[in-house]
Amino acid sequence: MLSRKGIIPEEYVLTRLAEDPAEPRYRARERRARFVSKKGNCNVAHKNIREQGRFLQDVFTTLVDLKWPHTLLIFTMSFLCSWLLFAMVWWLIAFAHGDLAPVDLAPGEGAAVEPCVTSIHSFSSAFLFSIEVQVTIGFGGRMVTEECPLAILILIVQNIVGLMINAIMLGCIFMKTAQAHRRAETLIFSKHAVIALRHGRLCFMLRVGDLRKSMIISATIHMQVVRKTTSPEGEVVPLHQVDIPMENGVGGNSIFLVAPLIIYHVIDANSPLYDLAPGDLHHHQDLEIIVVLEGVVETTGITTQARTSYLADEILWGQRFVPIVAEEDGRYAVDYSKFGNTVKVPTPLCTARQLEEDRSLLDALTLATARGPLRKRSVAIAKAKPRFSIAPDSLS
């Protein structure tokens, strides 16, 4: 709905989809299973966990990780159970003291025995008194007297238990509403990654941006290649993870994410993409590049993390991202409608290893690029028609 109104660009909506709806179904089934989806969820199913009791040792985190219907059910049942439990305790105190049975005194027999809690005559009245004590309503009709020290002790215990339930459940609700992945919804990645020349070397590039004006403090970005490998001893590693160094002039993996940035990795001899060729970029190739953006939210101080991944058929060879930042009226304007747009650029159709070993491929590409525009311009000039003509009468 937001993309139809023009609030969020279409590229952002497509980036957040786990599968491209335009792709045929039979091809989607043949594609390699993702380790991390485009939306950032880890595609891992945990099965046959025998030690389920470990989750109960960290009850707060378990409550935060639950879905909203389950959390609200536990939130409601915790209060109802505590009210019913202490209502039973108050009813037993009144029953043991004899406050439930009405006593009809004859004239001259003296005053009646003072009850432990006034106006408790049934379980319903005990339940109402339990609610009044725990939520501190205090309607004034029921109160604890000095007759029973045990009733005073139960009053103190119920207040402490009520405060603990309020603290735990309200803290759980707050943490669920302020979870870090909510902020990550406005951190976007380009739908495709590209490989092209930059400074005479093949580079793997992607674009990242932030839709909000509030900044991500200490933002860092990491990239990893995940693929199936086999060791020399024959051990099969289904998810072998290799870090990809990022080229950054600031140093390290830190970025200043005020406007969309193009993150690039130089494919050199130390890169796991050193032997990647254009013919390897198909959906059968066992290759996945995971990108993780992490930082601190400026408004809340909570650390957030946004993730995405690129399969082999989502990497475009010989293309480059179009510029989307322009200076207008004394400030920089970002056009998010072109966030994922790319253009074709001259790029050698060989691996980085072959380009490193034979630099003549780059020289031939540079010469062809230099001749191309000149030739096209000369042909265009030859075919151009004059916009006006000189009449012979005007020369006389």
Side-chain angles (χ1 to χ4, degrees):
M1 183 180 295
L2 294 178
S3 61
R4 294 177 182 176
K5 296 181 179 180
I7 299 177
I8 298 178
E10 189 69 21
E11 289 80 3
Y12 165 69
V13 179
L14 294 178
T15 303
R16 291 298 179 182
L17 295 179
E19 294 181 356
D20 191 353
E23 295 290 337
R25 291 186 178 182
Y26 68 89
R27 182 176 179 181
R29 293 177 182 176
E30 295 178 358
R31 293 179 67 176
R32 175 187 182 274
R34 290 183 178 273
F35 186 54
V36 176
S37 66
K38 298 293 286 185
K39 197 174 180 179
N41 300 323
C42 296
N43 189 23
V44 179
H46 300 277
K47 297 182 179 180
N48 301 325
I49 300 178
R50 298 180 180 179
E51 299 181 1
Q52 297 287 347
R54 291 181 176 270
F55 295 98
L56 298 178
Q57 296 178 3
D58 189 6
V59 180
F60 186 79
T61 305
T62 303
L63 291 176
V64 174
D65 290 339
L66 290 176
K67 296 181 179 179
W68 270 109
H70 299 160
T71 302
L72 295 178
L73 178 62
I74 294 175
F75 180 82
T76 304
M77 293 303 299
S78 61
F79 284 102
L80 287 177
C81 292
S82 63
W83 294 340
L84 290 172
L85 175 63
F86 282 99
M88 181 63 68
V89 174
W90 290 117
W91 184 84
L92 291 175
I93 291 176
F95 177 79
H97 194 260
D99 299 337
L100 299 180
V103 180
D104 297 331
L105 297 177
E109 290 186 1
V113 179
E114 186 176 8
C116 294
V117 181
T118 60
S119 302
I120 290 185
H121 306 293
S122 62
F123 183 79
S124 299
S125 58
F127 180 73
L128 292 176
F129 179 72
S130 175
I131 297 176
E132 294 177 13
V133 170
Q134 189 160 331
V135 300
T136 63
I137 294 178
F139 291 114
R142 301 174 182 88
M143 64 179 180
V144 179
T145 63
E146 301 175 357
E147 182 68 20
C148 302
L150 180 60
I152 299 175
L153 178 62
I154 296 300
L155 178 67
I156 297 174
V157 172
Q158 185 173 4
N159 277 280
I160 295 175
V161 171
L163 290 175
M164 292 179 62
I165 294 176
N166 289 335
I168 294 175
M169 298 311 302
L170 293 179
C172 176
I173 296 297
F174 172 77
M175 290 301 298
K176 286 188 69 67
T177 55
Q179 280 184 338
H181 66 83
R182 303 295 180 186
R183 179 62 176 87
E185 293 294 332
T186 53
L187 297 174
I188 59 176
F189 301 89
S190 57
K191 181 183 176 182
H192 295 92
V194 298
I195 293 180
L197 288 174
R198 175 174 281 192
H199 304 298
R201 309 177 72 178
L202 287 176
C203 296
F204 172 85
M205 294 176 283
L206 61 101
R207 176 173 277 169
V208 61
D210 187 4
L211 297 178
R212 291 187 180 273
K213 291 184 179 180
S214 58
M215 294 177 53
I216 298 295
I217 304 174
S218 302
T220 57
I221 193 165
H222 303 273
M223 291 188 290
Q224 286 185 342
V225 169
V226 178
R227 66 195 337 171
K228 182 178 179 180
T229 59
T230 304
S231 64
E233 295 78 13
E235 179 185 4
V236 178
V237 183
L239 296 174
H240 182 61
Q241 303 179 19
V242 180
D243 289 335
I244 300 179
M246 186 185 67
E247 194 74 16
N248 190 1
V250 180
N253 295 328
S254 300
I255 58 175
F256 188 51
L257 194 60
V258 177
L261 299 177
I262 296 178
I263 308 299
Y264 71 98
H265 156 70
V266 178
I267 305 178
D268 53 11
N270 299 323
S271 173
L273 307 178
Y274 195 50
D275 295 319
L276 184 66
D280 299 330
L281 301 181
H282 52 79
H283 60 280
H284 293 291
Q285 180 69 18
D286 186 14
L287 174 66
E288 182 177 1
I289 299 178
I290 299 175
V291 183
V292 180
L293 173 62
E294 187 174 359
V296 179
V297 182
E298 183 181 20
T299 54
T300 61
I302 300 176
T303 302
T304 185
Q305 187 180 90
R307 298 179 294 267
T308 191
S309 67
Y310 298 95
L311 297 182
D313 59 340
E314 296 172 345
I315 303 174
L316 306 179
W317 190 282
Q319 298 201 26
R320 182 173 57 196
F321 291 105
V322 300
I324 62 174
V325 180
E327 187 175 357
E328 296 179 359
D329 300 330
R331 61 179 182 177
Y332 293 95
V334 181
D335 185 5
Y336 280 100
S337 63
K338 303 177 182 179
F339 184 81
N341 294 359
T342 59
V343 293
K344 292 185 178 181
V345 292
T347 306
L349 300 177
C350 62
T351 64
R353 180 189 297 273
Q354 296 172 348
L355 183 62
E356 190 72 22
E357 294 175 353
D358 188 4
R359 299 299 295 181
S360 62
L361 297 174
L362 182 61
D363 298 336
L365 181 67
T366 305
L367 182 61
T369 305
R371 290 180 178 179
L374 182 61
R375 183 178 180 182
K376 291 181 180 179
R377 184 177 179 183
S378 60
V379 173
I381 293 175
K383 294 183 179 181
K385 297 180 180 180
R387 296 184 180 180
F388 61 93
S389 60
I390 302 176
D393 298 338
S394 61
L395 299 176
S396 57

